[in-house]
Amino acid sequence: NAGVTQTPKFQVLKTGQSMTLQCAQDMNHEYMSWYRQDPGMGLRLIHYSVGAGITDQGEVPNGYNVSRSTTEDFPLRLLSAAPSQTSVYFCASRAPGQENTEAFFGQGTRLTVV
Amino acid sequence: AQSVTQLGSHVSVSEGALVLLRCNYSSSVPPYLFWYVQYPNQGLQLLLKYTSAATLVKGINGFEAEFKKSETSFHLTKPSAHMSDAAEYFCAVSGYSSASKIIFGSGTRLSIRP
């Protein structure tokens, strides 16, 4: 059982480049989220989705786009990378309908923007 | 907006000593609360969660947390620290602004002295 799979694990971008961070889950979870982790700031929510075709903004959405065309996939797009987007990115999924269900996390993508 | 506050970005204890990691939540309605652990270069995994069934919650690896409504707290404890407990610990909350979102605290890094 793969769980939540993120690709790539590491990426270096130049300022202004665009890229897509991939996230896929095989648990049929409706809820999926993207977080960024920065030292001393914990995990901050970028975007989230409650099902295919439905997305919403989190705490720090600027500079990122998402779409959810299938239940399994939730890609995160950086439109024009900036050094401030250097971070570790985590994708998570949860079973639907219950506030107390746990989130399952991918292994993360470490992104450096130079 | 819902939030959790973790007191102390870094806690250091001796092996065999009590571990106490503090978390306070802000809500007039008891939320759903979680503790997650992150080992170096890994994603997050669930330690335990509060679901209103019991105020004292037992988790994996000997950790437990007690929900105290009067103090709006959900502190994490372990009676005897082990070297393998060295990691970053996150308190998180969901439920009362949007069931699909989990909001994380800033994290506490736990170090264990031999």
Side-chain angles (χ1 to χ4, degrees):
Chain A
N1 190 350
V4 180
T5 302
Q6 291 183 236
T7 56
K9 287 186 170 49
F10 302 93
Q11 183 70 49
V12 178
L13 286 180
K14 293 183 179 178
T15 297
Q17 286 185 316
S18 63
M19 80 159 293
T20 299
L21 279 62
Q22 301 292 344
C23 176
Q25 52 93 8
D26 61 2
M27 296 173 282
N28 201 33
H29 286 168
E30 294 290 332
Y31 294 172
M32 295 186 75
S33 304
W34 275 102
Y35 294 86
R36 59 176 290 172
Q37 182 178 22
D38 302 291
M41 304 189 76
L43 277 77
R44 291 181 292 170
L45 184 64
I46 304 171
H47 285 285
Y48 65 103
S49 169
V50 298
I54 306 170
T55 64
D56 205 348
Q57 296 181 348
E59 304 166 86
V60 289
N62 292 340
Y64 307 95
N65 266 359
V66 292
S67 60
R68 185 95 180 270
S69 56
T70 67
T71 298
E72 294 78 20
D73 300 299
F74 191 42
L76 178 72
R77 297 183 187 84
L78 279 69
L79 308 173
S80 177
S84 61
Q85 294 178 305
T86 294
S87 187
V88 181
Y89 292 84
F90 287 99
C91 179
S93 73
R94 292 174 77 190
Q98 300 288 335
E99 294 89 337
N100 63 344
T101 56
E102 68 176 284
F104 292 84
F105 284 82
Q107 292 297 296
T109 295
R110 186 174 296 273
L111 175 68
T112 302
V113 183
V114 298
Chain B
Q2 60 188 12
S3 68
V4 288
T5 302
Q6 292 185 242
L7 300 177
S9 60
H10 182 211
V11 171
S12 179
V13 302
S14 297
E15 190 173 20
L18 172 72
V19 174
L20 171 60
L21 305 182
R22 300 177 186 273
C23 173
N24 289 87
Y25 65 91
S26 61
S27 169
S28 59
V29 176
Y32 293 101
L33 293 159
F34 306 84
W35 275 100
Y36 282 83
V37 61
Q38 183 183 33
Y39 298 104
N41 300 314
Q42 294 189 24
L44 280 72
Q45 64 182 85
L46 183 71
L47 266 182
L48 51 82
K49 62 182 181 182
Y50 168 70
T51 61
S52 75
T55 56
L56 183 63
V57 182
K58 294 188 184 299
I60 61 172
N61 301 337
F63 284 92
E64 61 184 35
E66 186 172 8
F67 176 77
K68 291 187 177 180
K69 183 178 177 181
S70 60
E71 299 178 6
T72 61
S73 69
F74 191 56
H75 301 332
L76 183 71
T77 61
K78 182 174 181 178
S80 177
H82 191 273
M83 296 299 291
S84 61
D85 295 327
E88 187 142 22
Y89 293 79
F90 294 94
C91 184
V93 62
S94 79
Y96 56 94
S97 69
S98 172
S100 58
K101 294 194 295 185
I102 297 181
I103 302 299
F104 286 82
S106 57
T108 298
R109 182 164 62 89
L110 177 63
S111 299
I112 312 296
R113 301 188 299 270

